Amino acid sequence: AGEPIQYIAGHAWFYGNKLKVSPAVLIPRPETEELVHWVLEDLKTSDIKEISILDIGTGSGCIPVILKKQLGNRIRIVGIDISPEALSIARENASLYGVNIEFIEKDFLKQGTNGLGKFDVIISNPPYISKSLAGEEIINDLKYEPSTALYPDQDDPDIFYKKIAELTKDSFHRNSICYLEMNEFRADEIRTYFIDSGWSDVKTRKDLQGKERMLKA
Ligand code: GLN
């Protein structure tokens, strides 16, 4: 009936690891594995001793769990999400792998990163699908997944990117890095928000399907 097998099984595979999922969380996607891979490529060779990382819209916790598992005590990592139900799955995934991650309930669009401290790295796979642009077929394919994880407020597919580019400045150190998954049709606009907000070295990367899917700044 189109119900994702991961919800029926109660788990999904992500970066070689089995994670718990429920309909409260987006099923982790291969393109997000590629984003995690990019971060790991960079951080594994970085000589910073203690790296603080923020994951905005953590969902199942797939991003912080893998990063913490791979990088261990070199990193301190915080995952925020608007959904308490998602955070409870994320906490279960962290305890499944015995990794220490701080999960905090927060409405990023309203509250920004207030009170979270400063970070060297910000990562996010925010909701980026516009209902009016996506069309019925895609919306139907995604109907079992939480709409807060897929469709941003006010149907603006860029809203999270605009806020991340502007709002997080106070939460960054001078040489901090931001890694984002994005809507492949919005890559030019998203790149522009970052450049206009004063970010440098803005790069995008295609996913394995050849879609402009990731941004680093
Ligand atoms: N990549 C997902 C999809 O196309 C969407 C994830 C998201 O909105 N962050 O189904």
Side-chain angles (χ1 to χ4, degrees), residues 26 29 31 125-129 142 149-150 181:
L26 186 83
R29 301 286 203 274
E31 47 271 32
N125 171 25
Y128 56 68
I129 300 175
L142 298 169
L150 292 164
E181 183 175 321

Side-chain angles (χ1 to χ4, degrees), residues 41-59:
E41 268 173 11
D42 290 350
L43 295 190
K44 277 188 169 165
T45 55
S46 141
D47 49 19
I48 311 176
K49 284 214 181 79
E50 247 184 50
I51 307 170
S52 53
I53 305 178
L54 174 68
D55 178 29
I56 300 170
T58 200

Side-chain angles (χ1 to χ4, degrees), residues 75-132:
I75 67 168
R76 175 184 88 88
I77 187 156
V78 177
I80 60 171
D81 206 286
I82 193 171
S83 158
E85 293 81 15
L87 288 169
S88 105
I89 299 285
R91 287 191 185 101
E92 279 190 57
N93 281 320
S95 73
L96 204 63
Y97 286 98
V99 289
N100 184 19
I101 298 163
E102 231 176 295
F103 288 111
I104 298 170
E105 187 181 329
K106 215 168 189 40
D107 180 345
F108 172 72
L109 292 181
K110 287 214 181 92
Q111 301 166 283
T113 50
N114 283 345
L116 295 176
K118 290 218 183 235
F119 296 92
D120 302 298
V121 173
I122 290 193
I123 305 172
S124 185
N125 171 25
Y128 56 68
I129 300 175
S130 152
K131 267 200 168 151
S132 53

